Amino acid sequence: MVDIKVGIVGLGRLGKTHANNVASNIPGMTLTAACSVVESELDYAREQLGVTETYISYEEMVNSPNLDAVVIVSPSGFHTEQINLAMEKGLHVFCEKPIGLEIKEIKKTVEIIESRPELVFQLGFMRRYDESYQYAKEMVERGDLGELTVIRCYGIDPCSGLESFVKFAGASNSGGLFADMSIHDIDIVRWFSGKEVNRVWALGKNAAYPELDEVGELETGAAMMQLEDKTMALLVAGRNAIHGYHVETELIGTKGMLRIGAQPDKNLVTVFNENGVVRPTSQHFPERFRDAFLNEMKEFASCIREKRQPGVSARDGLEGTRVAYALQQSIDTKELIDVTR
Ligand code: NAI
């Protein structure tokens, strides 16, 4: 079996995780090339990961004759352009979420992706590859929970990143709290229910850093969404979890309910000390979703080998972004937003 030769763009917070996985943990894949605008990251790729081709220019990387696929982990504003270019060069593409920042651009990219069905395209909605989410999905599919009535999602980042977020909030546009934080929650609401979102209403409050009001950013937001079959979804998005990285999902159905990550456990350890009974919590996404990041890349490799497309499509990326922007529109206008148009 000849290895799939991969080039990665972006070796930052998440890029390093994907690069390490491709280089060392995915059977049948080799990390051949890496692209970053940070020289020390390219040194890291050469010295630590054994990458033979390093580039500052993405365009030059995709022109390499030695690649079968690219993994895109660059800042979100580059995604559509980099996907288009890779597809033009006949490369399979794994791209981190979101698929893009502009709906018009995303639609064009979806068309390009759909015009090349022989090339695998996978979007980084890794929760779909987390074992707990997959277990819950199987229960839903078997009908164990009956008909779903409510889906509740919490996606709250640890407060450790908030001070720096506040510092740079005026200068860099996050796309808004819901596009930044809730895109995975929106995706799993659509995935679990198999339904599209019809109407949304969102609210927000800045309590720890009221100065965020002045730059139009939010530290905590909540939203209610109505799906096409009247299922309700409740989202809480935040940047200020004191205890760690809190991703929790609840499904309520006519025959039962379940919760995933009701406690954001780090491991199986329970500490008994002067604070009482303490469960350590996971502190960031690479820790909580370590296996999901691995599983999704294994799936990408399998899809390329088996000449099939993964369960998560470019259209899922488009729909998730559309809903996230509708939530932001609701914040801005204080109105209930119809997403059906
Ligand atoms: P980062 O800022 O830590 O790293 C960005 C990387 O892109 C750096 O290596 C930088 O050198 C490179 N880069 C920037 N401009 C470039 C250019 N013009 N050409 C080539 N390389 C360039 O970013 P982070 O946090 O790793 O995020 C990257 C992507 O991953 C984003 O789209 C983000 O939304 C997504 N992400 C997804 C997560 C998930 O849960 N699936 C979690 C965190 C990030």
Side-chain angles (χ1 to χ4, degrees):
M1 189 170 74
V2 181
D3 273 4
I4 299 161
K5 294 189 269 338
V6 177
I8 191 166
V9 56
L11 291 165
R13 268 185 340 146
L14 180 55
K16 280 203 181 70
T17 297
H18 284 314
N20 273 287
N21 283 343
V22 172
S24 312
N25 301 323
I26 310 292
M29 271 188 164
T30 300
L31 189 63
T32 303
C35 172
S36 163
V37 289
V38 179
E39 196 54 56
S40 61
E41 293 179 353
L42 296 179
D43 293 342
Y44 170 84
R46 273 188 300 267
E47 289 157 20
Q48 307 295 320
L49 306 177
V51 170
T52 49
E53 297 180 20
T54 53
Y55 299 90
I56 288 174
S57 152
Y58 175 77
E59 204 167 344
E60 277 179 31
M61 182 175 85
V62 292
N63 273 325
S64 164
N66 302 320
L67 294 184
D68 303 306
V70 289
V71 171
I72 298 173
V73 209
S74 54
S76 310
F78 293 112
H79 290 182
T80 48
E81 189 190 323
Q82 291 179 340
I83 295 168
N84 300 351
L85 207 50
M87 288 264 150
E88 200 179 287
K89 301 287 171 192
L91 299 171
H92 304 288
V93 177
F94 176 96
C95 180
E96 255 316 318
K97 65 83 201 158
I99 188 167
L101 295 180
E102 301 285 337
I103 297 293
K104 223 168 117 189
E105 294 301 316
I106 298 174
K107 283 185 175 163
K108 261 195 243 160
T109 294
V110 170
E111 275 176 26
I112 291 172
I113 292 167
E114 290 179 348
S115 73
R116 300 295 304 262
E118 77 283 12
L119 297 176
V120 173
F121 176 82
Q122 185 170 337
L123 195 65
F125 281 143
M126 80 293 183
R127 279 199 213 165
R128 295 190 186 205
Y129 298 91
D130 175 83
E131 280 177 18
S132 302
Y133 279 87
Q134 289 185 328
Y135 185 89
K137 173 74 169 163
E138 281 164 24
M139 289 185 69
V140 170
E141 306 269 282
R142 274 199 309 267
D144 294 359
L145 299 183
E147 185 174 337
L148 292 179
T149 52
V150 176
I151 304 175
R152 177 180 62 89
C153 304
Y154 287 2
I156 314 176
D157 263 0
C159 61
S160 51
L162 185 55
E163 209 176 300
S164 143
F165 176 80
V166 173
K167 197 166 147 202
F168 296 109
S172 70
N173 175 11
S174 73
L177 179 73
F178 293 102
D180 204 20
M181 298 294 307
S182 300
I183 196 103
H184 291 293
D185 289 321
I186 295 165
D187 182 60
I188 55 113
V189 164
R190 295 180 60 253
W191 185 57
F192 277 129
S193 65
K195 301 290 176 207
E196 295 301 342
V197 177
N198 268 5
R199 297 198 293 169
V200 305
W201 185 50
L203 300 165
K205 177 172 177 178
N206 292 321
Y209 290 91
E211 60 266 42
L212 283 174
D213 285 340
E214 284 150 38
V215 288
E217 284 285 3
L218 282 174
E219 118 207 340
T220 307
M224 181 163 260
M225 313 201 293
Q226 186 181 46
L227 310 190
E228 55 192 334
D229 67 345
K230 293 193 179 164
T231 300
M232 294 157 277
L234 310 171
L235 307 181
V236 174
R239 308 184 193 276
N240 197 22
I242 301 300
H243 56 286
Y245 176 64
H246 195 116
V247 169
E248 177 183 350
T249 304
E250 180 174 56
L251 305 176
I252 303 178
T254 51
K255 289 190 189 163
M257 53 193 267
L258 63 77
R259 289 184 187 154
I260 306 163
Q263 292 186 162
D265 294 334
K266 182 184 183 72
N267 50 36
L268 295 176
V269 175
T270 305
V271 183
F272 304 82
N273 63 14
E274 69 277 15
N275 295 319
V277 180
V278 180
R279 299 272 305 112
T281 50
S282 81
Q283 292 301 313
H284 40 65
F285 64 84
E287 181 181 45
R288 166 63 182 86
F289 289 107
R290 184 188 297 123
D291 291 340
F293 288 126
L294 257 177
N295 292 342
E296 68 178 353
M297 204 54 74
K298 284 183 185 158
E299 171 69 354
F300 182 51
S302 299
C303 284
I304 294 171
R305 290 218 177 286
E306 294 161 19
K307 299 191 189 334
R308 62 178 171 85
Q309 293 292 338
V312 51
S313 71
R315 270 190 196 268
D316 292 320
L318 172 63
E319 286 308 314
T321 306
R322 275 186 67 225
V323 174
Y325 285 172
L327 289 166
Q328 184 60 40
Q329 194 187 341
S330 178
I331 292 282
D332 295 341
T333 61
K334 303 182 174 59
E335 302 279 343
L336 181 73
I337 306 295
D338 183 341
V339 196
T340 53
R341 278 163 284 145

